[in-house]
Amino acid sequence: MKLQRKNRLRATALGVIAVSSALALTACGSDDNDKGSNTGGTGGKTSAASNIKCDGAKGQLLASGSSAQKNAMDLWVKNYMAACKGVEINYKSSSSGEGIIGFNTSQVGFAGSDSPLKPEEVAKSKSVCTGGGQGINLPMVGGPIAIGYHLEGVDSLVLDAPTIAKIFTGKIKNWNDEAIAKLNSGAKLPDKAIQAFHRSQDSGTTQNLGKYLGATAKADWPYPAEKKWPAPGGQAAAGSSDVAAQVKQTDGAIGYFELSYASAQSIKTVDINTGAAAPVKATSENASKAIAAAKIKGTGKDLALGLDYTTKADGAYPLVLVTYEIACDKGNKADSLGTVKSFLTYTASDEGQKILSDAGYAPIPAEINAKVRETVAGLQ
């Protein structure tokens, strides 16, 4: 009860609909976002109870894509819609691949993706972003990809990149395999078959896992980093929430998903042996240490980032992703431009970024985020 009262007080201070915690949003899902009015607008008003500016926002804004950022988006949408009355943000959590398709077929005002647009996807966006515009990547959400597991009697588990790769390719089949035992001295590992779960849809989370394993375990992960799951074997589930649900209910299971899903369902997560002084836990703080070293590799207004998956810095969790909001640099639809700019201005604000840690995410580094704000302000 004390925790609920504390959260209600914090929600009131932010001028949002009260929520008991970020975990409650996982149960509610994005269905709550379907509630609201499509009528009216808020002009240039600012909520008296927050710093959310509703300038030019009106009607309904459709968006879709990455399920990795679902829990962050749920928080943002609730807060924004509470401040900007008469505006509805409808974000469909599906996959990065579906979000990009929706954006490049003019179905949504912006898309969420866990990987930057490919050159061919940028080329397609030019038919949607009129007047010489194109789709650009705006880094908005950072965080760890947790390797979650369910193994009765094992409360702590350390793995390294080669072992993770061998598990997900089916080369390591049992939990008491010698390679796992060496990394977990003293642990009572059962003679139980490993059930590895992966994403069935095109997924930026899958692609980021592939980038990490390709950089750190190349001999054991010979696959290109693509959104489609490349390895043989294993079992597939639709989204991050579905992979997490399968791991939660299956003894002997292992899977990968954003930390917020592990936190929401109390799923144990693997500590990664990176070669640092100690194995690194999947936490928002540790992911932030890795993301802080990211460099902008995009050109012009595109802010795609280059991540160092091979870091051995103490306390830096290397298996991270950055989720981008994809919008037109110019040539956005006139009827949604004001809402897109207003909403993304909020998500990139100090207020919008501060709530990420409580939901299991990592805020975008301040220097990079300042460029995101500048770019959002200049969207046309």
Side-chain angles (χ1 to χ4, degrees):
M1 294 300 292
K2 290 182 178 178
L3 178 59
Q4 292 176 337
R5 186 179 303 113
K6 178 180 178 182
N7 285 331
R8 285 197 298 269
L9 289 173
R10 179 173 60 186
T12 300
L14 292 172
V16 302
I17 298 172
V19 289
S20 59
S21 71
L23 307 186
L25 291 173
T26 303
C28 297
S30 57
D31 292 340
D32 287 347
N33 300 340
D34 294 333
K35 300 174 183 178
S37 171
N38 291 340
T39 61
T42 57
K45 295 180 180 179
T46 300
S47 168
S50 76
N51 294 318
I52 297 176
K53 294 182 179 180
C54 309
D55 299 0
K58 60 183 179 180
Q60 183 187 57
L61 174 63
L62 300 179
S64 69
S66 166
S67 65
Q69 67 173 5
K70 176 188 180 297
N71 294 334
M73 191 60 70
D74 283 348
L75 282 168
W76 283 334
V77 168
K78 281 182 176 289
N79 291 359
Y80 183 85
M81 287 173 57
C84 300
K85 302 298 183 182
V87 181
E88 181 182 356
I89 309 294
N90 190 332
Y91 182 83
K92 179 184 177 183
S93 170
S94 51
S95 68
S96 297
E98 290 187 23
I100 292 171
I101 291 172
F103 179 76
N104 278 340
T105 53
S106 199
Q107 298 178 42
V108 295
F110 72 88
S113 176
D114 307 335
S115 292
L117 292 169
K118 296 179 179 179
E120 59 268 28
E121 292 168 339
V122 173
K124 288 182 180 179
S125 74
K126 293 179 180 179
S127 64
V128 175
C129 304
T130 58
Q134 66 178 47
I136 57 172
N137 302 286
L138 301 169
M140 202 68 71
V141 183
I145 300 175
I147 303 295
Y149 72 96
H150 178 176
L151 194 58
E152 296 296 336
V154 179
D155 294 327
S156 178
L157 186 68
V158 176
L159 298 175
D160 58 14
T163 307
I164 293 170
K166 290 174 184 175
I167 286 172
F168 280 106
T169 56
K171 293 179 181 177
I172 292 179
K173 301 181 183 298
N174 262 49
W175 280 108
N176 64 346
D177 187 274
E178 183 180 357
I180 301 176
K182 284 183 178 179
L183 293 165
N184 295 274
S185 178
K188 295 182 179 179
L189 299 169
D191 183 9
K192 182 182 289 291
I194 295 173
Q195 298 192 54
F197 287 88
H198 59 261
R199 292 281 295 274
S200 61
Q201 301 167 311
D202 284 4
S203 161
T205 311
T206 295
Q207 188 172 38
N208 279 278
L209 174 65
K211 289 177 180 178
Y212 166 71
L213 293 176
T216 56
K218 192 170 295 186
D220 300 299
W221 189 264
Y223 308 103
E226 299 290 346
K227 293 185 175 73
K228 186 176 180 63
W229 180 255
Q235 302 177 59
S240 289
S241 60
D242 297 315
V243 174
Q246 291 297 326
V247 172
K248 175 71 173 179
Q249 68 188 19
T250 308
D251 187 19
I254 191 168
Y256 60 95
F257 32 79
E258 295 66 42
L259 181 62
S260 61
Y261 291 96
S263 301
Q265 299 192 46
S266 299
I267 297 172
K268 299 181 182 70
T269 61
V270 167
D271 298 347
I272 296 182
N273 183 340
T274 64
V280 186
K281 294 184 178 298
T283 67
S284 296
E285 180 182 5
N286 291 344
S288 292
K289 291 178 182 178
I291 295 172
K295 304 295 183 183
I296 294 175
K297 65 178 183 179
T299 58
K301 294 184 178 180
D302 186 86
L303 301 178
L305 301 180
L307 299 169
D308 179 10
Y309 296 102
T310 64
T311 179
K312 295 182 180 180
D314 288 344
Y317 185 82
L319 181 46
V320 297
L321 61 75
V322 169
T323 291
Y324 300 89
E325 311 311 336
I326 296 169
C328 296
D329 57 357
K330 59 181 179 179
N332 288 277
K333 293 180 180 178
D335 60 351
S336 62
L337 175 59
T339 310
V340 169
K341 291 180 69 172
S342 172
F343 181 66
L344 296 185
T345 294
Y346 162 59
T347 62
S349 69
D350 287 341
E351 184 178 344
Q353 290 288 303
K354 282 179 181 177
I355 66 175
L356 293 179
S357 296
D358 289 341
Y361 296 97
I364 298 299
E367 182 178 350
I368 295 171
N369 195 45
K371 295 183 180 180
V372 173
R373 296 179 193 175
E374 179 182 353
T375 303
V376 169
L379 295 179
Q380 300 176 31

